[in-house]
Amino acid sequence: MRLTFVITAIVVLVAPASGQGSGGVEGRVVAKRTLEPLVGVNIVIAGLNRGTATDIDGAFSISDLAEGAYPIVARFVGFKTETITTTVSAGATAVLNFEMEEDRLLLDELVVTGLGTSVERRKLSANVEVLHLREIETAPVMTVGQLLQGRVPGASVRMQSAQPGLGSVISFRGVKSVSADQTPAIYIDGVRVDNNSNTSLSLGGQRTSALSELLTSDIERIEIAMGGAASTLYGSEAANGVIQIFTKQGTPGQNRVVIRSEQGIDVPDTKFVQDTDFAYAEMVTDPSSAVFGQGSFLRDVFLRTGHFQNYYVGVSGGGDAATYNVSGRVQNSTGIQPSNESTIYALRSNVQSRLGRALNVGFSGSYVRSGFERLHAGNAIFDPYSTFGVGAALVLTGADTFDEALRLQLLPEVTEQVDRFTISAKARYEPSRLFKSGLTVGLDSRTSHQRVFLPIEYDAVSDRERGEIRRFDRDFLAMTVEYVGTISYPREGRIKSDLTFGVQGFREDSDYIQVVAQTFALPGTEDISQAGEVDVSETRSEVFNGGIFVREQVGFRDRLYADAGLRLDGSTSFGGDVGLQGYPSFGLAYTLSDNAVFQRWFGNTWSHMKLRISYGETGRFPKPFDRDVTFGGDSFRGESAPFFENPGNLDLKPERTRTVEGGFDAALLSDNIGIRLTAFSATTSDALFLVPEQPSTGRGLQLRNLGQIENKGIELGLDADVHWSKAVSLSLGLTYSWLRNEVTDIGDGPEFSVAGDGISAISRVAVGHPVGEWYASTPIDSNGDGLQDAFEYQFAGSTPYPTQFGSLSANLSVYRNLSLFATADWSLGARTADHTVWVSEIFGLERAVLPERFDTDGNSVGNYNTEGAGVFILQNGDFLKIREVSARYSLPSRVTKLLGLHSAVVFSSVRNLVTFVRQDLVDPELAGLSWAAALYNGGESTLELGGEQLHTLSPPRQIRFGFEIVF
């Protein structure tokens, strides 16, 4: 970071300097419909690598131009690109003004993801979703996961719980593998970053996520490619899609300072809270009981209203030669439970410089430090929220009162600290309009330290002896090198061509150290060195993935575009025994509305219509050492007994995902309605399954390329504008996604489970069923007398994850100063395993009504228990949530000028406002992490299907107020 800030300081000092030129251009840019000045429009001189951006009044100026004719291009998100050619004379300034038309389909928008270089969206044969600065700045969210929720068709985003540092569980277009997680590959300014969602010890099924540090403060744009058709060029780790994050850059002109302050409260969502009036019904109503009258103990004592505060300062500016953007942020939240405080410190800088006519260089860097406390979750021994909810708190602690039980349950201390540093350096060389190239070098370093301390006083509750400390350290370093070149020839005429080629390399180093220290001499000792028994384990890996790619795109009459590409990929996961893997792609895009016949027949209704179809392949390498034979040892009769830790398989090869997608982008009714529709089919072949070996071999489970998984779906995005007047307008948005997943082949291997409690409800893999379909004990009639007298395991016809989901949004704008926004998202088709039902059963509580059971003679023998009626712990997972309601008011320019400000905004918001469900036992949004998946994957839970809970607390209702001033 020091180097980045030194560079920033140098650039700030030299940025105002400029040479003397012969002439210049200046002007103003407004919206054609409203004549409103447009701020931040990119003004570029085509072919010269010169440009600027409009200020608050829509004005721009470019100086130091030699005499001659120049094509001046105005490009702005949401508007059609405009080009005006003007002549510059010596000693004079040419004046030209732009009136830009709105572009519903954003066909002129430049998109990087998909073709390896920046191209107009009209040329893309596969769909790439984009979140723009306006959406990001107005969203009342803090992380990228929250930002994607309900805004991107085809993206399933679910939270884990209300605790800090957990991040979101993100997946695109279904489950493509049962041996790896579903998280997309993530890039920040061209650098691939850590996207691991399990980076700590599991505390009741919940782990820290590397996604929680991806903050929205300085993001300018996010591009999302869902599947193989748009991800081929990103290699073997992009089968789950790609998220490209671009951070803010400075703009030429006057230096700007942004100050933002935000305050708020977090209010517990108690809709699904089972309080002590359920778990201890008799005791809280008995006047002689020590807990009489405390039927709402969780609501009144345990849960609380948390305080949130966030402060941000950013400085940006520069001149024609260089721009900069530097910012800092501090955030603190006390949480809605005890021991849930979190603090984040974040710094970011971005410097761009033009070195001569053809060369641009840029540096961006960020440092994020987060620290938080956490409680155990979903664990009947350690988690106070769960133990009170299932009636276990007094029994497990031996306490007589709720207060004493809570005091004991809060003795364990769980703390974690994360330091993350990401840096990117880019050079772009464009000597002519026929050739451009770029080099990106960067790294992402993430270090986390988690500490779980159980004091001696807690021995009465746990099964530890004289205290315990568990320490989990993870060091991760990813390094990226990428070169991409594009030859554009011919550029004029009916046929145009762009040939893109490049090479990428990614190295990931990871080091895990786990320490378990037990048996302390005295209370108050909290250091590992003071323990009587210390057990240490360490795991290290160094993996390099790299590839070369080439892609040709040909355009015919600026209407029909055809592209074909190939990537060759390799990895050190296989050593030198497996060669390069080839991933081809093909696509067609056709702007039908440019056809004269289409305009004559449909032009009055359909102003724009683009058709697209594409095919692409990508894949995933197995984890390091999966193909190697490794051994471990266990203590047995005083000796070390060896065993096969991993039996190894020299025939392993990567999983391969083939995606075909097609659809259209359309605008109708004078561009007031925009539609994006995509249908896709993705097939994963050579899917890696763990297969049991013969018991006599002692090899346990063997990883093999046996399976095939199919995902099919539809993604719809719709936007509509209603203009009541130039002063008042309403924008409406809708997304809808439908998904069908099916395992079509498991080779010669047996069916197997990947999640569940292993007793009553299991998430299973079988031919003809979706990955992880629930397989539960179900009451049956064994003798045909119409009475249920036995049970058997059956597929429940539902999955832990949704099969349909979408969102609705509305944005009301009044006089361009006041903006009111609301959004809701919904989900259908999932069922959630409520493990609280069978844990409550242990303590004599009936959380769910189980059916009556009979013997074979027709006599009632009471109700089923969860072992025989596990299907009844599967709760309906359908929900509708009013996710966000917000208001923003921009002070009029006459007021800000009087105050000496560039602009000023006040805002307020509420997130997680209301939840509508078909049952009141569990929050179906919460993903949870499976226990059986950890066993299936050798102790490391990688497959995250969600759909499992044990009295898990929902994310709070977040109420925020704040202001932002720019001067």
Side-chain angles (χ1 to χ4, degrees):
M1 286 301 295
R2 291 182 179 178
L3 176 60
T4 306
F5 281 108
V6 169
I7 296 172
T8 301
I10 294 173
V11 172
V12 171
L13 292 175
V14 303
S18 61
Q20 298 296 320
S22 299
V25 294
E26 65 180 28
R28 193 164 178 263
V29 184
V30 299
K32 186 174 183 179
R33 183 178 61 84
T34 64
L35 299 182
E36 172 189 1
L38 296 178
V39 184
V41 178
N42 289 318
I43 306 297
V44 178
I45 302 177
L48 272 193
N49 200 22
R50 293 284 308 275
T52 186
T54 57
D55 62 17
I56 191 172
D57 298 315
F60 68 91
S61 175
I62 301 177
S63 58
D64 303 326
L65 295 176
E67 291 185 273
Y70 295 93
I72 311 299
V73 181
R75 181 177 283 114
F76 192 49
V77 173
F79 291 81
K80 297 178 182 178
T81 300
E82 303 286 345
T83 302
I84 299 177
T85 299
T86 188
T87 300
V88 174
S89 302
T93 299
V95 178
L96 65 158
N97 297 310
F98 290 90
E99 292 186 1
M100 301 188 71
E101 256 185 281
E102 293 184 40
D103 181 9
R104 172 62 61 185
L105 298 183
L106 307 176
L107 294 181
D108 293 326
E109 179 183 20
L110 293 179
V111 177
V112 174
T113 309
L115 292 181
T117 186
S118 58
V119 297
E120 294 90 344
R121 183 191 284 274
R122 68 174 68 250
K123 299 180 180 180
L124 293 177
S125 59
N127 186 42
V128 175
E129 295 289 339
V130 182
L131 295 178
H132 302 100
L133 180 60
R134 286 176 291 180
E135 299 171 89
I136 297 169
E137 287 186 331
T138 58
V141 299
M142 294 294 165
T143 66
V144 169
Q146 293 174 329
L147 181 65
L148 296 179
Q149 198 168 41
R151 288 180 169 85
V152 180
S156 174
V157 183
R158 293 178 288 172
M159 306 301 293
Q160 292 187 47
S161 79
Q163 299 209 53
L166 298 181
S168 305
V169 177
I170 303 173
S171 64
F172 296 156
R173 294 185 174 178
V175 180
K176 303 176 186 67
S177 172
V178 299
S179 65
D181 65 39
Q182 310 303 307
T183 308
I186 300 176
Y187 291 76
I188 298 179
D189 290 335
V191 175
R192 185 176 289 193
V193 300
D194 187 6
N195 67 339
N196 196 317
S197 56
N198 297 325
T199 64
S200 70
L201 297 172
S202 174
L203 302 177
Q206 296 179 7
R207 290 178 171 88
T208 307
S209 171
L211 305 182
S212 63
E213 293 104 44
L214 302 183
L215 309 177
T216 60
S217 304
D218 290 287
I219 296 178
E220 184 172 84
R221 188 174 82 259
I222 299 178
E223 297 179 2
I224 302 105
M226 294 288 184
S231 305
T232 296
L233 300 188
Y234 297 92
S236 292
E237 298 304 308
N240 295 324
V242 177
I243 298 175
Q244 288 256 26
I245 298 172
F246 303 89
T247 61
K248 292 179 183 177
Q249 301 179 11
T251 55
Q254 185 176 353
N255 295 337
R256 297 296 181 193
V257 178
V258 179
I259 297 177
R260 185 185 307 131
S261 177
E262 194 171 357
Q263 301 289 323
I265 58 174
D266 294 335
V267 181
D269 182 353
T270 59
K271 183 178 182 67
F272 304 99
V273 172
Q274 289 278 13
D275 216 326
T276 47
D277 55 357
F278 163 75
Y280 298 92
E282 294 183 3
M283 296 180 66
V284 298
T285 57
D286 182 359
S288 64
S289 170
V291 295
F292 172 68
Q294 294 183 288
S296 56
F297 183 80
L298 287 177
R299 290 179 172 88
D300 297 341
V301 178
F302 179 74
L303 298 177
R304 63 190 185 187
T305 297
H307 176 237
F308 172 88
Q309 51 187 330
N310 179 49
Y311 306 96
Y312 172 91
V313 176
V315 182
S316 64
D320 290 343
T323 61
Y324 67 95
N325 184 78
V326 182
S327 67
R329 167 178 169 177
V330 179
Q331 176 184 311
N332 176 264
S333 176
T334 60
I336 60 173
Q337 303 177 94
S339 303
N340 262 194
E341 185 170 3
S342 62
T343 303
I344 295 176
Y345 302 94
L347 297 171
R348 172 165 287 281
S349 63
N350 197 320
V351 178
Q352 307 293 321
S353 181
R354 181 166 56 88
L355 304 178
R357 185 183 64 85
L359 180 62
N360 282 4
V361 297
F363 302 90
S364 67
S366 69
Y367 172 70
V368 179
R369 178 166 192 165
S370 58
F372 43 85
E373 304 171 297
R374 188 182 298 161
L375 295 174
H376 287 78
N379 188 308
I381 297 176
F382 298 107
D383 176 23
Y385 180 70
S386 292
T387 57
F388 277 99
V390 302
L394 297 182
V395 173
L396 293 175
T397 62
D400 296 323
T401 66
F402 290 159
D403 290 308
E404 176 62 11
L406 180 59
R407 185 189 71 81
L408 291 171
Q409 291 285 59
L410 294 178
L411 286 175
E413 299 175 6
V414 181
T415 58
E416 188 164 355
Q417 180 178 302
V418 180
D419 292 277
R420 188 166 192 170
F421 176 74
T422 305
I423 189 169
S424 170
K426 289 186 175 184
R428 189 181 65 189
Y429 181 61
E430 191 172 351
S432 73
R433 299 179 64 192
L434 303 182
F435 176 71
K436 61 181 177 181
S437 63
L439 175 67
T440 301
V441 179
L443 61 86
D444 179 45
S445 172
R446 186 180 186 274
T447 301
S448 59
H449 306 282
Q450 184 187 49
R451 189 174 186 274
V452 182
F453 173 56
L454 305 179
I456 292 177
E457 188 179 0
Y458 197 67
D459 288 348
V461 180
S462 70
D463 58 355
R464 274 61 174 174
E465 182 178 349
R466 303 196 63 78
E468 178 183 272
I469 295 176
R470 298 174 68 193
R471 177 73 181 260
F472 185 83
D473 291 356
R474 177 180 183 266
D475 291 328
F476 177 89
L477 177 65
M479 291 168 281
T480 301
V481 177
E482 176 185 275
Y483 171 81
V484 179
T486 300
I487 300 173
S488 300
Y489 184 81
R491 288 189 57 92
E492 308 295 338
R494 290 190 172 189
I495 299 178
K496 299 177 182 178
S497 169
D498 291 294
L499 176 65
T500 300
F501 54 92
V503 57
Q504 292 175 328
F506 313 101
R507 177 182 169 127
E508 295 183 352
D509 296 353
S510 59
D511 189 355
Y512 300 83
I513 297 178
Q514 182 171 342
V515 180
V516 179
Q518 295 178 319
T519 312
F520 292 91
L522 297 170
T525 52
E526 300 183 12
D527 295 330
I528 292 175
S529 60
Q530 297 171 326
E533 301 177 22
V534 179
D535 184 20
V536 181
S537 61
E538 181 179 16
T539 303
R540 293 180 295 167
S541 68
E542 299 175 356
V543 180
F544 177 82
N545 294 325
I548 58 175
F549 63 85
V550 61
R551 191 161 201 163
E552 168 68 19
Q553 183 178 73
V554 179
F556 302 90
R557 302 178 64 181
D558 292 328
R559 186 179 305 168
L560 175 64
Y561 298 93
D563 61 78
L566 175 67
R567 178 179 176 111
L568 299 177
D569 222 35
S571 172
T572 58
S573 293
F574 289 141
D577 297 335
V578 177
L580 297 177
Q581 303 295 311
Y583 301 123
S585 64
F586 311 94
L588 289 172
Y590 180 53
T591 308
L592 186 61
S593 55
D594 288 347
N595 188 291
V597 175
F598 180 92
Q599 285 295 326
R600 185 166 60 250
W601 288 358
F602 305 105
N604 291 333
T605 303
W606 299 85
S607 50
H608 295 280
M609 172 68 77
K610 172 194 164 184
L611 306 178
R612 47 184 165 78
I613 185 170
S614 60
Y615 169 86
E617 297 183 14
T618 184
R620 179 187 291 275
F621 286 103
K623 297 190 298 294
F625 315 120
D626 275 349
R627 69 190 302 271
D628 302 319
V629 179
T630 58
F631 298 90
D634 273 342
S635 177
F636 181 71
R637 294 183 177 179
E639 300 290 339
S640 177
F643 65 91
F644 283 106
E645 193 169 50
N646 180 41
N649 182 358
L650 296 179
D651 295 325
L652 281 186
K653 53 187 175 181
E655 297 177 313
R656 180 178 291 265
T657 301
R658 299 173 174 87
T659 302
V660 178
E661 72 171 66
F664 68 85
D665 306 331
L668 60 156
L669 301 180
S670 301
D671 281 3
N672 285 316
I673 297 178
I675 303 174
R676 297 186 190 277
L677 178 67
T678 302
F680 70 89
S681 176
T683 301
T684 300
S685 58
D686 295 324
L688 291 165
F689 292 166
L690 280 172
V691 180
E693 291 290 292
Q694 291 293 332
S696 60
T697 66
R699 288 175 173 266
L701 298 175
Q702 174 74 62
L703 193 64
R704 295 183 181 175
N705 294 98
L706 292 179
Q708 181 169 291
I709 303 169
E710 291 186 355
N711 287 279
K712 297 179 179 179
I714 296 174
E715 299 159 359
L716 171 68
L718 187 148
D719 299 290
D721 284 343
V722 180
H723 300 287
W724 286 307
S725 67
K726 290 187 176 182
V728 181
S729 63
L730 175 67
S731 298
L732 302 174
L734 176 148
T735 69
Y736 170 78
S737 301
W738 171 82
L739 175 68
R740 178 188 174 187
N741 176 278
E742 182 181 356
V743 178
T744 57
D745 190 7
I746 59 173
D748 57 358
E751 298 179 359
F752 57 90
S753 301
V754 291
D757 58 29
I759 301 174
S760 55
I762 305 166
S763 189
R764 199 160 179 79
V765 173
V767 172
H769 297 269
V771 172
E773 181 177 346
W774 286 117
Y775 188 70
S777 57
T778 306
I780 62 169
D781 172 17
S782 66
N783 58 10
D785 63 359
L787 301 175
Q788 295 174 330
D789 52 48
F791 71 88
E792 67 179 16
Y793 278 84
Q794 299 177 358
F795 283 102
S798 57
T799 57
Y801 47 88
T803 56
Q804 298 182 70
F805 46 93
S807 65
L808 298 166
S809 64
N811 192 345
L812 178 66
S813 178
V814 182
Y815 289 102
R816 302 197 307 269
N817 295 101
L818 177 62
S819 176
L820 304 175
F821 177 77
T823 183
D825 54 83
W826 54 272
S827 176
L828 300 173
R831 293 178 74 180
T832 298
D834 180 13
H835 298 306
T836 317
V837 174
W838 65 262
V839 175
S840 297
E841 186 178 74
I842 297 173
F843 294 94
L845 300 176
E846 190 177 90
R847 178 175 165 92
V849 179
L850 302 182
E852 188 176 8
R853 185 170 184 172
F854 299 84
D855 61 21
T856 54
D857 296 325
N859 301 312
S860 176
V861 293
N863 288 357
Y864 277 86
N865 59 20
T866 53
E867 183 179 358
V871 70
F872 284 87
I873 78 169
L874 302 178
Q875 307 299 331
N876 191 293
D878 299 347
F879 70 84
L880 168 66
K881 291 201 174 190
I882 309 300
R883 183 68 64 183
E884 299 166 6
V885 175
S886 63
R888 293 174 62 90
Y889 179 72
S890 301
L891 273 64
S893 58
R894 63 179 182 276
V895 175
T896 55
K897 289 180 179 179
L898 287 175
L899 297 174
L901 302 175
H902 180 269
S903 63
V905 177
V906 292
F907 54 86
S908 63
S909 66
V910 181
R911 182 171 169 83
N912 302 323
L913 187 63
V914 182
T915 301
F916 300 95
V917 290
R918 296 181 178 179
Q919 45 76 31
D920 58 2
L921 293 178
V922 294
D923 185 343
E925 177 196 358
L926 303 186
L929 296 177
S930 63
W931 306 332
L935 300 176
Y936 175 74
N937 289 286
E940 180 184 356
S941 178
T942 55
L943 180 62
E944 298 175 357
L945 299 180
E948 295 187 76
Q949 293 185 43
L950 180 57
H951 208 224
T952 307
L953 188 61
S954 300
R957 187 169 297 113
Q958 300 171 335
I959 303 173
R960 304 286 185 260
F961 302 91
F963 67 87
E964 178 181 287
I965 58 175
V966 182
F967 56 89

